Amino acid sequence: MELIAYKNMNDKRFSLTYWRTKNDLEVDFILGKAELAIEVKISQGIERADIKGLIAFCAEHPHTHGIVVSQDSEPRRIIISDSIKIDVLPWQAFL
């Protein structure tokens, strides 16, 4: 709801969709032409195994910036490869 509110209040014209594969990999929010992919997790201590869908999406769309919004207390980065780096943000920082 926060993304929709931000989009409408700021008159942004990006699309807001989701992504899911036949193998049940998914990403909660895809913004625009896949410039940004956001996965929301209610837990903290997010690890690589928790974000398989986001990793798969970023591998398929190399120009995408991947973000995980979670209960983590500090922002950090998970480096998957030279081309895939996922930012983990506390929900408060994201908002």
Side-chain angles (χ1 to χ4, degrees), residues 36-40 54 58 65-69 86-89 94:
L36 188 62
I38 302 170
E39 184 68 21
V40 179
L54 186 57
C58 290
H65 179 191
I67 295 177
V68 179
V69 179
I86 308 290
D87 290 319
V88 179
L89 298 176
F94 177 77

Side-chain angles (χ1 to χ4, degrees), residues 43-95:
S43 57
Q44 61 184 5
I46 303 302
E47 300 295 333
R48 185 181 184 139
D50 301 320
I51 54 172
K52 292 177 186 173
L54 186 57
I55 293 168
F57 185 85
C58 290
E60 194 172 296
H61 301 85
H63 65 282
T64 299
H65 179 191
I67 295 177
V68 179
V69 179
S70 71
Q71 296 285 335
D72 281 48
S73 59
E74 296 292 325
R76 61 191 171 92
R77 180 170 276 180
I78 299 174
I79 298 174
I80 306 302
S81 68
D82 288 341
S83 61
I84 302 174
K85 297 166 182 69
I86 308 290
D87 290 319
V88 179
L89 298 176
W91 66 268
Q92 301 93 330
F94 177 77
L95 292 179

